[in-house]
Amino acid sequence: SSGSALADPEQNDIQYLTPIQIGTPPQTLNVDVDSGSSDLWVFSSETPEDSVQGQALYDPSKSSTSEEVQGASWQISYGDQSSSGGVVYRDTVAVGNVSIKGQAVEVATTVSAQFTRDASNDGLLGLAFSSLNTVSPQQESTWFDNAAKVLDHPVWTADLKYHAAGTYDFGVIDKSKYAGKITYVNANSSDGFWMFDMSGYSVGNSTFKTAQFQGIADTGTTLALLPEQVVRDYYRSVRGAKLDYFQGGYVFPCGARPPNFVLGIGPTRLTIPGTYINYAPIDSFGRTCFGGIQSDDGIGFSIIGDVALKAAFVVFDATPDQPRLGWASK
Ligand SMILES: N[C@H]1[C@H](O)[C@@H](Sc2ccccc2)[C@@H]2OC[C@H]1O2
């Protein structure tokens, strides 16, 4: 089987939301497909009312195919310090018409304020490796790991777009969605992420500088978080750019036209248009803008988020024993 689901951006492409169907009859929720985590969790009838502000709720009691996983619980905290936790049901979950029975659906009994504030986000669909799943005492598999058994190929692809709806495809590589060839690089899943090696970078039309650093492909992170040195080098070329301690990153006058940024991924190059790096105004006058490239704060690896991913067609290939990431222009 194979399927395709919408990736609909919120304002400024802060995140992309994908409708999924849970239960019988199907309950549709819009979730954030997140290649940086491995829990499928949703707002639910068991989420305290004061923690819900407009989200759609999954109600297992209204699904004839739901069953509680006795004694199981989950608790997750994310890179941006948000968090959630709760109990676990099994139910049928369809993404892009690929329907999987007995999928662990983690229902939230607590969510942090960032999630409560985000009315259009009904939960997360974690598509990193199952080794990061937080369900205890028995860890659960991601929806993709369960689906890979029935998909024509153990792959899913991300075709995110700048200020427009894109798609996540499952089990198929759609040739109409990219141009030229797909270049594959090995992924290292030992930390549970889609981690891969960068080979260098260039700013605008300057010469390519070799630099060895690792990064994770993270559809759930908005920006591209790169090594401090690389980021400092980039903003030297942006008129009026400065590191704003209070905003927590590099800002510049919204009239600035940041240069393109070229990321070396193994032998291939990913060009992030400067327009994607003029991420969004931080003030209501639209005078000062926040950069789409920021520092990874020395966490030990970079986070290749949506600002970069939306410039490519990306293949998450979970071929057993050798996961790979495919990159193509579009
Ligand atoms: N992988 C990412 C994840 O999807 C989000 S979770 C999230 C939090 C609040 C609002 C929406 C989503 C968080 O930011 C970066 C990293 O952790």
Side-chain angles (χ1 to χ4, degrees):
S1 67
S2 66
S4 182
L6 202 60
D8 207 6
E10 282 191 324
Q11 192 182 26
N12 297 320
D13 299 347
I14 193 166
Q15 64 185 329
Y16 294 79
L17 291 165
T18 296
I20 67 170
Q21 283 69 39
I22 309 176
T24 313
Q27 300 177 40
T28 294
L29 277 71
N30 297 322
V31 297
D32 179 3
V33 170
D34 178 20
S35 61
S37 67
S38 306
D39 285 49
L40 165 53
W41 73 262
V42 289
F43 277 80
S44 76
S45 47
E46 302 185 30
T47 310
E49 279 182 22
D50 59 3
S51 296
V52 177
Q53 281 174 13
Q55 290 83 3
L57 307 178
Y58 165 59
D59 184 345
S61 72
K62 293 204 172 67
S63 169
S64 62
T65 43
S66 72
E67 57 177 11
E68 184 159 15
V69 181
Q70 295 306 324
S73 66
W74 59 282
Q75 176 63 45
I76 194 164
S77 51
Y78 294 99
D80 67 351
Q81 308 318 315
S82 58
S83 62
S84 52
V87 295
V88 185
Y89 289 79
R90 265 188 225 299
D91 209 339
T92 301
V93 177
V95 186
N97 285 332
V98 175
S99 183
I100 300 299
K101 292 184 169 35
Q103 173 63 40
V105 180
E106 303 169 33
V107 309
T109 55
T110 62
V111 295
S112 65
Q114 296 102 311
F115 288 114
T116 297
R117 271 201 301 270
D118 191 350
S120 49
N121 181 339
D122 307 329
L124 258 72
L125 172 58
L127 297 188
F129 293 87
S130 295
S131 58
L132 287 182
N133 178 266
T134 76
V135 175
S136 157
Q138 196 120 23
Q139 194 172 53
E140 291 287 346
S141 295
T142 66
W143 179 86
F144 175 70
D145 273 357
N146 289 326
K149 301 181 185 101
V150 297
L151 291 173
D152 297 342
H153 303 281
V155 303
W156 62 281
T157 67
D159 178 16
L160 300 178
K161 294 180 190 283
Y162 175 74
H163 295 187
T167 49
Y168 291 116
D169 293 353
F170 301 94
V172 62
I173 294 176
D174 184 339
K175 285 189 176 314
S176 73
K177 296 187 176 176
Y178 64 91
K181 296 193 64 57
I182 299 174
T183 300
Y184 286 92
V185 295
N186 285 341
N188 177 342
S189 61
S190 54
D191 286 334
F193 296 118
W194 289 93
M195 188 171 281
F196 61 103
D197 293 332
M198 248 67 62
S199 50
Y201 69 97
S202 67
V203 178
N205 299 324
S206 69
T207 53
F208 185 79
K209 297 175 183 170
T210 56
Q212 305 294 332
F213 56 101
Q214 290 180 307
I216 66 168
D218 186 357
T219 56
T221 287
T222 309
L223 307 181
L225 308 179
L226 301 173
E228 174 56 49
Q229 270 294 359
V230 173
V231 176
R232 194 177 309 129
D233 196 7
Y234 175 78
Y235 284 109
R236 278 201 198 95
S237 303
V238 180
R239 175 176 57 77
K242 62 181 173 53
L243 181 49
D244 182 322
Y245 179 82
F246 294 99
Q247 291 302 326
Y250 285 87
V251 299
F252 45 79
C254 292
R257 295 158 58 107
N260 297 346
F261 180 83
V262 176
L263 193 56
I265 299 176
T268 193
R269 302 286 177 264
L270 169 59
T271 298
I272 306 172
T275 46
Y276 294 12
I277 302 168
N278 192 335
Y279 173 65
I282 57 165
D283 62 84
S284 51
F285 310 100
R287 193 168 299 136
T288 304
C289 278
F290 198 71
I293 285 176
Q294 298 292 346
S295 169
D296 62 19
D297 289 336
I299 55 175
F301 53 88
S302 292
I303 302 187
I304 309 306
D306 300 333
V307 157
L309 300 177
K310 72 179 87 167
F313 176 81
V314 188
V315 182
F316 294 79
D317 179 334
T319 299
D321 297 331
Q322 187 43 69
R324 307 185 297 170
L325 280 164
W327 303 87
S329 301
K330 58 189 184 190

